[in-house]
Amino acid sequence: MKKLPIGESTFSELIKPNVLYVDKTEYIYNLIKPGRGRYFFSRPRRFGKSLTCSTLKAIFSGDRELFKNLWIGRSDYHFKNYPIISFDFSQISYKTPEVLERGLHETVDDHARRYSIDLEKQGLSEKFAELILKLGQTHGPVVIIVDEYDKPIVNLIDTLDLAERSRTELRNFYGTLKGADVDANMHFLFITGVSKFSKVALFSDLNNLDDLTNDERAAALVGYTDQEVDHYLTEHIHAFADKRQEPYEQTRQILKAWYNGYRFTSQDTTVYNPFSLHNCLTKKQLSNYWFSSGTPNFLMKFIQKNPFIAADIETIEGSFFAESNLESFSPDVYYQNYRTLLLQTGYLTFASGYDAGRRGYKVAYPNEEVRYSITEQIMQFVGGITPEQFGEFGDRFRKALAVDDLYLFCKHLQDFIKLVPHNIRVNREKFYQQIFFMICVLFGRRPATEVATEEGFMDLLLEGTHNTFVVEFKRNSTAEIALEQIEAKRYWEPYNILKTKKIILAGITFNETTHGIEVVCKTKEL
């Protein structure tokens, strides 16, 4: 089996015979084949943006031999050596705007020395423009690759003054690229980042910059599709299944639930996080690898100061997200616009295609890794619930679900809600429905919610081991009233026609008492 790369983003290292490289060169070909291109591409961290930049640099260096076993190497692409200017902001100092400016000066000077070009200009923007013009005139049209353009802003976001000054510095620097003479000497421009910040010149002044972030052409440019997982990782999954002592298909579905689910466009394409998948298959253990590699403590601290946000995040699945939120993201609203932040950083993803009428998408957590981890983090940071307590309740919920004991499940739920601080609870039926749903998903079941029937929408359909539960929720009411609604609306009827399990009607209420929330469950077997 080939070694699975973890943390490696250099193309020349990944195409070695003993290392796995998932071939993405057909997607790249479709971007570069037309000729002159100007692209911006945003994805969460550890998804493969830097590897894409490295692959582009190798392609534009003209070495066809490197690609002889890949799709593009067998295509009609004519490998040509272009002069390349690259900026990797993980390697450029940016502690302050002044340090950032100095780092950019040094990078421009390094490129000039590499191509034996004498620069006369002193100002950063002027020097950058001079480099592009002279390089274009002496070596041909220039390729410019900028990786993690937003890192100097994001990493200073807790010091807003520094973040704003860094944004101004970058706006002036990138403004160089809008000049007609510069553009005439540029063959290809590729810029990556996590966040799409407004007012950084990229998205206002460069009106020919093609944003690939939610473009179908880049739906699977990074991350792994199901087809790629089946093609490249079968041996590794077999080894993991053997370790778990379970059938291959069962392990395959577990991996899909844990690490797939990221959707960046209106089409149905979803991708796996490569970092998590490689770690899991190498260590042969399910865990929250991606989440724990960059736990958003900054966000948790913000939630700690604004506890009402925790309730919103806990009930966010299936909510609507307006497309315009992506266009008005800036340092001064970085935390306030937390839904955009969660979406851009990978803690949420699109859960539906684009809704043209409402101009937006439904959003949800991408997979079990993120859903479990962010819930645990919120409970820990805001509610003071320790990982040990969370794990203990998880074990109780899991056992109750395994034996279809809905009464026991509700008893554990009542105890669990007591641990949730009152200041993050929302006195709405929807809040408790979402907590019920989240716990089912986290610990072994994925119920269907708001299920359409001839007479309306049932709240929840839970497929148990031996029973199908048709559930109606109420707040500050009685379980009998909830059951009466199920029977009156005949929500159960479609599932009784071709039933393979017993159908159980369940009315569940969340009632406020002097001792907290009381969870009452009453069932009726058809």
Side-chain angles (χ1 to χ4, degrees):
M1 290 188 295
K2 290 188 175 183
K3 176 185 175 183
L4 300 180
I6 298 173
E8 178 60 68
S9 58
T10 304
F11 174 75
S12 58
E13 291 298 312
L14 293 182
I15 58 164
K16 291 179 178 179
N18 64 327
V19 180
L20 177 74
Y21 175 74
V22 174
D23 189 356
K24 297 287 187 177
T25 60
E26 183 176 2
Y27 298 106
I28 293 175
Y29 170 90
N30 290 329
L31 297 177
I32 66 178
K33 177 61 178 176
R36 288 161 53 89
R38 311 284 186 269
Y39 296 110
F40 171 73
F41 181 58
S42 173
R43 283 293 183 271
R45 59 185 173 78
R46 295 189 180 276
F47 250 88
K49 299 187 300 296
S50 296
L51 175 57
T52 303
C53 289
S54 179
T55 307
L56 280 167
K57 287 168 69 174
I59 291 172
F60 285 124
S61 294
D63 190 350
R64 178 185 286 272
E65 185 66 18
L66 281 175
F67 296 89
K68 62 182 180 181
N69 296 320
L70 302 178
W71 190 95
I72 196 170
R74 298 187 292 268
S75 74
D76 61 353
Y77 182 74
H78 298 292
F79 285 78
K80 180 181 176 182
N81 186 9
Y82 290 90
I84 299 170
I85 300 174
S86 63
F87 297 88
D88 180 356
F89 280 94
S90 68
Q91 304 299 317
I92 296 175
S93 298
Y94 50 78
K95 190 174 182 180
T96 67
E98 292 74 23
V99 171
L100 170 62
E101 182 182 10
R102 186 161 61 248
L104 290 171
H105 269 291
E106 290 172 355
T107 305
V108 170
D109 291 339
D110 286 345
H111 281 91
R113 283 191 291 272
R114 184 177 304 124
Y115 288 102
S116 301
I117 290 176
D118 294 322
L119 298 177
E120 300 173 2
K121 305 294 185 182
Q122 298 300 312
L124 178 59
S125 296
E126 294 78 9
K127 182 191 287 187
F128 185 28
E130 184 184 8
L131 173 64
I132 296 170
L133 293 176
K134 287 187 174 180
L135 201 51
Q137 292 161 4
T138 57
H139 292 74
V142 180
V143 169
I144 300 176
I145 298 173
V146 182
D147 194 18
E148 298 191 63
Y149 91 98
D150 54 344
K151 203 172 184 68
I153 304 174
V154 172
N155 283 28
L156 294 173
I157 206 70
D158 285 324
T159 312
L160 190 56
D161 175 61
L162 292 179
E164 286 286 7
R165 286 166 55 202
S166 293
R167 182 173 68 166
T168 299
E169 187 67 51
L170 290 174
R171 181 174 65 237
N172 296 333
F173 181 69
Y174 293 129
T176 304
L177 301 174
K178 68 180 180 180
D181 290 343
V182 167
D183 187 70
N185 283 277
M186 189 163 47
H187 173 69
F188 193 84
L189 173 66
F190 192 77
I191 301 172
T192 79
V194 171
S195 296
K196 181 181 176 181
F197 284 110
S198 60
K199 302 176 184 176
V200 190
L202 287 179
F203 315 110
S204 54
D205 297 335
L206 290 179
N207 54 17
N208 62 341
L209 192 64
D210 194 352
D211 188 354
L212 294 170
T213 302
N214 306 126
D215 193 305
E216 293 183 3
R217 290 172 294 173
L221 178 59
V222 298
Y224 297 162
T225 65
D226 265 321
Q227 292 79 7
E228 288 168 337
V229 169
D230 289 333
H231 180 76
Y232 290 97
L233 294 168
T234 299
E235 282 186 285
H236 290 276
I237 298 173
H238 271 297
F240 187 35
D242 291 344
K243 168 80 181 305
R244 292 171 59 87
Q245 297 182 324
E246 65 186 14
Y248 174 89
E249 278 305 319
Q250 186 175 342
T251 299
R252 181 72 180 82
Q253 290 306 310
I254 289 171
L255 288 171
K256 183 170 185 173
W258 266 77
Y259 303 121
N260 191 19
Y262 293 92
R263 175 178 177 175
F264 301 104
T265 71
S266 59
Q267 67 178 215
D268 291 336
T269 303
T270 60
V271 293
Y272 293 72
N273 180 293
F275 180 80
S276 289
L277 197 55
H278 288 178
N279 269 285
C280 175
L281 293 176
T282 298
K283 298 171 183 176
K284 295 182 174 59
Q285 182 177 347
L286 291 169
S287 189
N288 58 345
Y289 298 104
W290 176 81
F291 191 94
S292 61
S293 71
T295 304
N297 288 329
F298 60 88
L299 180 62
M300 295 305 163
K301 291 175 183 176
F302 178 64
I303 292 172
Q304 217 165 11
K305 296 176 184 176
N306 303 273
F308 70 92
I309 290 174
D312 182 54
I313 292 175
E314 283 299 289
T315 59
I316 207 167
E317 296 242 39
S319 62
F320 182 76
F321 180 88
E323 182 183 33
S324 60
N325 287 330
L326 295 170
E327 303 300 325
S328 57
F329 197 55
S330 59
D332 53 309
V333 296
Y334 192 72
Y335 292 129
Q336 288 81 355
N337 201 347
Y338 59 89
R339 286 193 171 204
T340 303
L341 176 61
L342 287 169
L343 188 66
Q344 291 189 342
T345 51
Y347 299 104
L348 289 176
T349 194
F350 294 151
S352 70
Y354 181 69
D355 186 328
R358 299 176 69 189
R359 297 186 179 181
Y361 305 82
K362 285 185 178 180
V363 294
Y365 296 118
N367 51 43
E368 303 311 305
E369 175 185 18
V370 176
R371 181 179 288 107
Y372 184 92
S373 300
I374 204 164
T375 299
E376 183 184 51
Q377 287 288 312
I378 287 174
M379 293 302 175
Q380 181 179 344
F381 274 83
V382 183
I385 299 175
T386 67
E388 291 75 20
Q389 288 175 313
F390 198 68
E392 171 63 26
F393 269 100
D395 188 52
R396 295 181 191 178
F397 285 128
R398 208 176 278 112
K399 288 176 179 177
L401 287 169
V403 295
D404 287 2
D405 194 333
L406 201 58
Y407 286 98
L408 184 59
F409 182 90
C410 288
K411 179 183 181 301
H412 294 326
L413 181 61
Q414 178 174 297
D415 292 338
F416 181 76
I417 290 173
K418 288 178 182 177
L419 297 179
V420 180
H422 68 89
N423 59 347
I424 71 169
R425 294 184 204 156
V426 178
N427 290 323
R428 293 198 307 265
E429 179 185 316
K430 184 72 172 177
F431 174 76
Y432 296 107
Q433 285 182 232
Q434 284 284 352
I435 292 293
F436 188 101
F437 169 79
M438 286 282 292
I439 289 172
C440 286
V441 171
L442 287 173
F443 302 115
R445 294 285 188 270
R446 174 173 283 279
T449 59
E450 300 295 330
V451 181
T453 70
E454 283 189 340
E455 297 294 330
F457 294 87
M458 77 169 75
D459 283 341
L460 185 134
L461 183 74
L462 174 62
E463 290 290 351
T465 305
H466 305 291
N467 304 313
T468 297
F469 294 95
V470 177
V471 182
E472 180 68 24
F473 296 107
K474 295 293 180 185
R475 176 177 158 267
N476 292 339
S477 183
T478 68
E480 287 79 6
I481 289 175
L483 274 176
E484 286 172 9
Q485 181 173 328
I486 297 174
E487 294 191 90
K489 298 284 188 177
R490 302 180 70 82
Y491 291 150
W492 49 267
E493 202 163 43
Y495 307 96
N496 196 41
I497 298 171
L498 298 172
K499 68 178 180 181
T500 56
K501 300 176 183 177
K502 286 192 297 185
I503 294 178
I504 308 292
L505 313 184
I508 298 175
T509 61
F510 302 93
N511 299 327
E512 296 174 46
T513 72
T514 56
H515 303 291
I517 299 298
E518 180 185 33
V519 182
V520 179
C521 175
K522 186 169 184 179
T523 62
K524 179 179 179 180
E525 182 178 339
L526 285 183

